[in-house]
Amino acid sequence: MPPEKENIMADTPIALVTGANRGIGLEVCRQLAGRGYTVLLGSRDLAKGQAAAAHLKRQGGEVLPYQLDVTDPDSIEQVRAQVDRTFGRLDVLVNNAAILYDTWQRVLTADLAVVREALETNTLGAWQMCQTFVPLLRRSPHGRIVNVSSEAGSLAGMEGGTPAYNLSKAGLNALTRMLAAELRGSRILVNAVCPGWVATDMGGAGGRPVAAGAASVLWAVTLPDDGPTGGFFRDGKPLPW
């Protein structure tokens, strides 16, 4: 359990990022902290989350580690209760946790156990997070949900490779559309963002800098109240579904 946060100013935005101990999630946390957010860094492995948060705090940010497994409803509920008790609201939810970029698979020969595993984290995990945290986001005057997706989940250009990852991201995009429709008029904006091919452990070498990918996510986090909802973007520009 993270330490209790005291004396949080009412105008300090609170942001929760899943899968945030490395890669794009960690960089999103860094950029949010640099903008004055209190950042809740979610990580399946608490020790890794604590190390990542300590690193960011040395740079001057307010970052608190939380043990969070998006495939475990009990873990999600424990974090919700902690956030409610400590802050009383949530302003930003970034669903970043993702697994299994299965480039070795094809649709007709895919191991469906691998597909189910990807769906549990990449799609259903984000869905459970939204169901659990929307009540806290409703208490924010400027609620934001950002689903970190991928153009690999776009039906417009989808082919047969990487089926578990692509299908899970297509599902995340569909979730974005449905959730935005249900929350329209609630002051909560919901968008999907493709950070692009980023040089991370999952993306591999040769991609764009992680800071650029994270900046694309920050664009959606910091949209004005009359900004778009239910969209799919990279670098602030719409992508085809």
Side-chain angles (χ1 to χ4, degrees):
M1 179 180 296
E4 293 293 336
K5 183 76 170 65
E6 298 178 353
N7 299 320
I8 291 291
M9 295 177 61
D11 59 352
T12 300
I14 312 300
L16 171 59
V17 185
T18 69
N21 63 281
R22 62 178 184 171
I24 293 171
L26 180 61
E27 179 62 19
V28 167
C29 290
R30 188 190 70 78
Q31 292 188 20
L32 284 169
R35 289 174 177 252
Y37 286 73
T38 292
V39 180
L40 315 182
L41 187 156
S43 174
R44 281 190 303 177
D45 186 317
L46 181 57
K48 291 180 179 178
Q50 289 171 330
H55 173 72
L56 294 181
K57 290 184 76 169
R58 286 194 291 270
Q59 299 179 19
E62 186 61 56
V63 183
L64 303 174
Y66 283 72
Q67 194 283 322
L68 176 58
D69 181 349
V70 301
T71 68
D72 181 354
D74 289 339
S75 173
I76 294 173
E77 172 55 28
Q78 287 175 10
V79 174
R80 185 212 60 79
Q82 292 169 21
V83 173
D84 189 10
R85 182 173 63 249
T86 306
F87 306 106
R89 75 181 196 282
L90 185 66
D91 299 293
V92 176
L93 171 61
V94 178
N95 286 311
N96 171 74
I99 61 171
L100 284 173
Y101 193 58
D102 56 325
T103 54
W104 66 92
Q105 296 206 105
R106 305 293 292 180
V107 170
L108 288 177
T109 55
D111 182 343
L112 295 186
V114 172
V115 177
R116 291 187 186 95
E117 186 178 0
L119 288 168
E120 283 290 339
T121 294
N122 302 356
T123 310
L124 299 180
W127 197 337
Q128 182 72 66
M129 288 293 297
C130 291
Q131 288 184 332
T132 303
F133 282 93
V134 159
L136 290 180
L137 286 161
R138 288 187 186 275
R139 300 178 190 171
S140 169
H142 313 286
R144 302 290 183 267
I145 297 173
V146 182
N147 294 324
V148 180
S149 186
S150 170
E151 197 170 6
S154 170
L155 298 178
M158 190 176 292
E159 297 183 352
T162 325
Y165 185 81
N166 291 5
L167 185 67
S168 69
K169 290 300 187 179
L172 183 62
N173 288 351
L175 174 66
T176 300
R177 294 283 290 180
M178 292 187 289
L179 188 60
E182 289 197 13
L183 291 174
R184 201 173 298 276
S186 69
R187 299 180 301 181
I188 301 174
L189 303 183
V190 187
N191 289 291
V193 170
C194 171
W197 175 28
V198 177
T200 63
D201 289 348
M202 180 179 287
R208 71 198 301 212
V210 67
S216 195
V217 176
L218 265 287
W219 173 85
V221 168
T222 58
L223 282 170
D225 291 343
D226 61 353
T229 189
F232 184 26
F233 301 94
R234 182 172 58 238
D235 299 332
K237 299 177 180 178
L239 291 173
W241 293 103

